[in-house]
Amino acid sequence: MIYLVFPTSWHPSQPYLSLPSLKAFLNQNGVHDVVQRDLAIELLNDLCTWEKTKPLYEKIIRELNELSSRPSLTQVESEKFAKLREAEEIVMALKDQIDFAINSQRSPDFYEIDQYMENLKVMDVWLDNILAPYYPSQLTVIGSQMRFSPYSSKEVIDSFSHPEENFFYDLYEKWYLDDILKQDIDIFGISITSVEQIISGLTLAYLVKKNRPEIHITVGGSVFTKLVDRLEKDASPLFDFVDSFIVHEGETPLLRLVEHLRGDGDLSKVPNLIYKEEGVVKVNRPFAKEELNALPTPDFDGLPLDLYLSPTRVLPVMGSRGCYWEKCAFCSIPFDHMNFHVRYAENVVNDFKVLQEKYNCDHFFFTDEALPINFLRTFSAKIIEQKVDVQWTGELKFEKSLLKDDRMELLYKSGCRKLIFGLESYNQRVLDAMKKGVELSWVD
Ligand code: SF4
């Protein structure tokens, strides 16, 4: 079985697109034993459920008693003692509110900004305190903080020896690992797409490898795409528990990895793969990109769609990969992609129709780095023409062409209800220095 996991943390309102795209592509190519799991939303949901977290409260009390019984405390122990005392009170005060707060984010309360902010505050304060036994580590709804830097392999690996601080180690092991290891897995894939997921994702890789060394562990996602040279040059210690990294786009590489691991075992034929063979790190260049129009509609089967924190179901969709502009001086996104490429609007409209029908979903989020205006025009016209009744949102760059004719009207009629523009400065000199390609007159 191929077991794909999306680790903590990510924005909790909807699933991320990587695993559903991979699962659909494997299925389309005859590989059907694929399971996907979103541990980001599962862990957040479990941690914001009083019944589930009672053992953590008991741990707070146990550790308080243990520290109180000591004749003296070090500076660090004193700080932890103070945190645990605070946590004991706060957890008791919030235990009757936490389930309400997370469920409220799944109800129409979500649209009431005061209630929304209050719920988020309750969840963040709760997470900070229910995880006090792991002090000084902290978790919030969308991120975490530990004394181990995610930017250092050495520190990430060091965190595995400190489950008393690395809550991912302790909680993944206690709550999810048995269930994972019960499965008949030969390939375990972890998608790490943000820095926030490095410690959690690699911790999971370490735990699986420690218990089932025969499983091939592969890590994909944009984080390691930026680190090809480092992985290659330093013969990273991450290869002690990760068998391979898939960089750039992952659909065809994962399919080929499955075929070769289940066939001749020759990893040199797997595109975009980085692996270690006889002590040497191999990078399978040149890197390949996908034919976006050959990709199937993503498959969200198996994801806990009712757990996401949104009053209506929202699914991610993709119109393009990469950025058509690629020039902003501060931006690393162009490094994640070989080239900018677009899916035909007709295919994206079909994705909307399939997903609406299959998952009873009318709300969509374009995951494009910057939605291309020409694509939007064609897409919107087709959605209107085919009478697909949906609402959608996405992110884009200010472009003069958006102001042409009745273009905004067209977007609205096609279901667009929000556009998120990247505007890092409202100063023309700074925008020009950034090579943003935006004139303030278009913004005004
Ligand atoms: S438009 Fe956005 S994604 Fe493209 S280069 Fe600029 S900041 Fe990066």
Side-chain angles (χ1 to χ4, degrees):
M1 170 191 294
I2 298 141
Y3 204 94
L4 304 175
V5 174
F6 191 71
T8 316
S9 299
W10 190 252
H11 199 280
S13 63
Q14 58 190 274
Y16 190 71
L17 194 54
S18 57
L19 302 189
S21 299
L22 293 167
K23 182 177 185 324
F25 188 76
L26 291 172
N27 289 171
Q28 183 192 46
N29 287 279
V31 180
H32 296 286
D33 56 339
V34 185
V35 166
Q36 57 182 336
R37 191 153 181 192
D38 185 346
L39 282 187
I41 194 65
E42 284 191 48
L43 181 66
L44 181 65
N45 184 64
D46 285 340
L47 279 173
C48 291
T49 305
W50 167 233
E51 206 49 44
K52 182 85 181 175
T53 49
K54 271 183 186 166
L56 288 171
Y57 176 67
E58 287 156 14
K59 194 171 157 94
I60 292 172
I61 303 298
R62 261 197 325 276
E63 293 200 9
L64 261 180
N65 291 339
E66 202 272 316
L67 287 174
S68 320
S69 66
R70 292 193 197 170
S72 65
L73 297 177
T74 63
Q75 173 71 23
V76 175
E77 286 167 346
S78 296
E79 286 172 15
K80 182 167 182 179
F81 184 70
K83 179 66 201 172
L84 288 165
R85 275 179 67 163
E86 180 188 69
E88 181 194 12
E89 278 182 27
I90 292 178
V91 168
M92 278 298 99
L94 292 182
K95 74 179 175 57
D96 297 325
Q97 294 177 45
I98 186 59
D99 292 61
F100 172 81
I102 193 166
N103 286 321
S104 176
Q105 296 297 70
R106 300 183 180 114
S107 78
D109 291 349
F110 182 94
Y111 300 116
E112 306 295 330
I113 187 69
D114 291 343
Q115 184 66 55
Y116 175 88
M117 295 308 290
E118 175 63 19
N119 292 338
L120 266 190
K121 194 170 127 200
V122 169
M123 289 165 70
D124 275 340
V125 173
W126 173 264
L127 291 170
D128 182 33
N129 285 282
I130 198 70
L131 294 173
Y134 304 92
Y135 180 87
S137 303
Q138 284 179 299
L139 185 72
T140 66
V141 171
I142 54 166
S144 60
Q145 182 104 36
M146 290 189 189
R147 74 181 167 89
F148 310 99
S149 166
Y151 297 100
S152 156
S153 307
K154 188 178 168 303
E155 290 193 28
V156 171
I157 291 170
D158 195 25
S159 78
F160 305 157
S161 310
H162 294 279
E164 76 284 2
E165 286 184 51
N166 180 347
F167 38 67
F168 297 122
Y169 190 112
D170 202 34
L171 298 176
Y172 279 0
E173 187 175 47
K174 285 195 175 100
W175 289 356
Y176 311 116
L177 194 65
D178 282 354
D179 183 48
I180 291 172
L181 297 179
K182 261 194 260 156
Q183 315 299 323
D184 183 19
I185 300 169
D186 57 341
I187 299 167
F188 192 83
I190 304 172
S191 171
I192 298 184
T193 201
S194 86
V195 172
E196 290 297 338
Q197 296 175 295
I198 293 178
I199 293 185
S200 58
L202 293 178
T203 297
L204 183 63
Y206 177 81
L207 283 169
V208 172
K209 187 50 94 177
K210 189 172 99 167
N211 286 278
R212 294 275 299 279
E214 74 281 9
I215 293 178
H216 182 101
I217 297 183
T218 190
V219 172
S222 57
V223 164
F224 290 97
T225 296
K226 294 187 187 79
L227 297 174
V228 173
D229 293 346
R230 294 287 298 276
L231 288 169
E232 185 175 21
K233 216 166 42 192
D234 302 344
S236 173
L238 302 182
F239 284 108
D240 291 346
F241 54 95
V242 175
D243 296 288
S244 64
F245 292 86
I246 291 176
V247 294
H248 294 282
E249 294 170 78
E251 284 90 352
T252 302
L254 182 59
L255 175 65
R256 298 282 172 259
L257 181 67
V258 172
E259 288 169 352
H260 285 289
L261 285 174
R262 290 180 176 177
D264 62 8
D266 183 358
L267 299 189
S268 70
K269 295 181 188 144
V270 179
N272 300 9
L273 196 75
I274 305 182
Y275 61 105
K276 204 167 172 182
E277 196 175 66
E278 293 169 2
V280 178
V281 176
K282 306 270 176 81
V283 181
N284 291 346
R285 295 186 174 92
F287 298 129
K289 67 175 194 174
E290 297 297 330
E291 171 43 68
L292 290 196
N293 290 298
L295 297 182
T297 299
D299 180 344
F300 294 86
D301 287 3
L303 290 180
L305 295 183
D306 294 332
L307 278 194
Y308 295 95
L309 307 190
S310 167
T312 55
R313 186 165 288 174
V314 182
L315 291 178
V317 282
M318 176 263 298
S320 64
R321 286 183 181 169
C323 169
Y324 64 88
W325 178 249
E326 287 190 336
K327 291 182 195 159
C328 299
F330 59 87
C331 181
S332 66
I333 283 167
F335 294 105
D336 298 348
H337 301 274
M338 305 288 300
N339 296 107
F340 169 67
H341 47 156
V342 188
R343 188 161 165 87
Y344 296 142
E346 183 62 44
N347 289 338
V348 180
V349 172
N350 187 57
D351 293 340
F352 271 62
K353 290 202 272 192
V354 170
L355 295 173
Q356 184 180 39
E357 168 81 21
K358 187 172 177 191
Y359 298 107
N360 191 23
C361 176
D362 300 326
H363 297 82
F364 296 91
F365 186 99
F366 273 106
T367 59
D368 303 44
E369 310 295 353
L371 277 163
I373 309 301
N374 284 343
F375 163 83
L376 275 184
R377 201 185 48 216
T378 319
F379 164 80
S380 298
K382 285 185 185 296
I383 281 269
I384 295 167
E385 183 188 298
Q386 297 182 35
K387 296 188 173 56
V388 187
D389 187 11
V390 289
Q391 295 194 344
W392 59 267
T393 181
E395 298 176 331
L396 64 170
K397 172 179 173 294
F398 279 103
E399 294 290 358
K400 193 176 181 184
S401 57
L402 253 185
L403 302 171
K404 260 196 203 160
D405 313 326
D406 56 354
R407 218 156 266 184
M408 295 303 283
E409 180 74 17
L410 180 75
L411 299 193
Y412 184 82
K413 279 190 188 148
S414 75
C416 175
R417 289 297 175 271
K418 184 171 83 170
L419 291 173
I420 304 156
F421 292 91
L423 187 70
E424 290 77 10
S425 168
Y426 188 71
N427 177 305
Q428 193 63 57
R429 184 184 61 78
V430 175
L431 286 173
D432 292 346
M434 284 175 177
K435 302 189 173 60
K436 188 73 198 181
V438 168
E439 286 182 23
L440 286 179
S441 60
W442 311 341
V443 179
D444 295 336

